[in-house]
Amino acid sequence: MRALVVGASGQIGGHLFEQLREAGHAVAGTYSSFARPGLVKLDLADPTAVAAAVRDVAPEVVLLPAGWT
């Protein structure tokens, strides 16, 4: 499965990202404020950037655990 985890630098997103990767899935992840190696910066308030991220990754599933606390 090819997945996109939007918010992969957070606690839940990071866990999802690692679990998918360890299970052998092709996974891409994004961050907003907290950069982590292998993740791509994404501003969820920018619909053009979101569309480009989905187009570039071409995921079968998008997981969106991103959020502000």
Side-chain angles (χ1 to χ4, degrees):
M1 173 178 61
R2 189 171 41 259
L4 173 60
V5 180
V6 178
S9 65
Q11 186 175 11
I12 294 171
H15 183 74
L16 286 169
F17 183 86
E18 288 303 319
Q19 291 297 308
L20 287 165
R21 194 173 58 91
E22 289 174 9
H25 299 290
V27 60
T30 71
Y31 73 93
S32 175
S33 301
F34 303 104
R36 297 227 172 133
L39 302 182
V40 176
K41 184 161 180 66
L42 179 64
D43 179 1
L44 278 176
D46 181 349
T48 302
V50 173
V54 172
R55 183 180 59 250
D56 292 347
V57 175
E60 296 170 83
V61 63
V62 175
L63 302 163
L64 185 61
W68 289 300
T69 57

